[in-house]
Amino acid sequence: MFDQILISTDGSKAVKPAVDTAIELAETHEASLHILYIVDQPTTVSGTGEGVPGLDNLLDALRKKGKDATSEIAARANDRGIETTTAVRQGRPHDDILTYANENDIDVIVIGTHGRTGVKRALLGSVTEAVVRQSEIPVLTVHRDPEE
């Protein structure tokens, strides 16, 4: 039923239940797991004025966080015999999740209902909502652990 599964992560503990679900789903269906992290590109960095180096440093740090987060999930999945593909992209999260899914013939998108806490949590919740509303393929939403 599912050959290609996409898990979108922000690297936070709140998405762990979604990651666990994606790994279980991939194992059950003997599917490949695509692990995607989107660097939500800010247009300015407070305190940098016109200085681009501050923005470049921030984007480099976010790309590294994405590489670390996707690599960690891939290692967990590989330990269970699941073939993985990791990707770190930069742009608008919901658009890039849907674009990646279309480009890679994804059968189902697994995504957490919320990621980071506070203001970022509300924004990521809206990312999930946009993916659910705009996706032409099934989207499995997974609630965060209330203890996290």
Side-chain angles (χ1 to χ4, degrees):
M1 179 173 200
F2 300 127
D3 294 321
Q4 303 291 325
I5 297 170
L6 171 61
I7 177 67
S8 178
T9 183
D10 66 3
S12 71
K13 289 182 181 179
V15 297
K16 184 182 181 306
V19 169
D20 293 344
T21 299
I23 290 172
E24 288 290 329
L25 196 60
E27 186 174 48
T28 299
H29 291 275
E30 298 179 359
S32 294
L33 182 63
H34 294 252
I35 307 153
L36 178 64
Y37 182 101
I38 306 294
V39 175
D40 191 0
Q41 182 172 339
T43 54
T44 61
V45 178
S46 178
T48 62
E50 295 292 319
V52 175
L55 181 57
D56 287 342
N57 292 340
L58 174 61
L59 292 174
D60 287 345
L62 291 172
R63 282 189 287 268
K64 181 183 180 327
K65 180 180 178 181
K67 183 168 177 48
D68 292 346
T70 57
S71 295
E72 180 182 318
I73 295 167
R76 286 183 52 208
N78 292 153
D79 286 346
R80 293 173 68 173
I82 299 167
E83 180 183 321
T84 60
T85 302
T86 62
V88 176
R89 292 193 173 184
Q90 188 172 317
R92 294 182 51 188
H94 74 276
D95 286 338
D96 286 342
I97 291 167
L98 295 171
T99 298
Y100 184 94
N102 287 331
E103 289 173 353
N104 291 278
D105 296 321
I106 299 298
D107 298 308
V108 63
I109 300 169
V110 180
I111 190 167
T113 56
H114 293 89
R116 299 176 188 99
T117 58
V119 174
K120 284 289 190 184
R121 185 178 115 193
L123 293 175
L124 287 168
S126 65
V127 168
T128 300
E129 180 184 352
V131 169
V132 168
R133 281 189 290 111
Q134 297 175 23
S135 180
E136 295 180 4
I137 61 171
V139 178
L140 174 60
T141 61
V142 181
H143 290 280
R144 66 185 171 94
D145 184 346
E147 301 296 318
E148 292 292 331

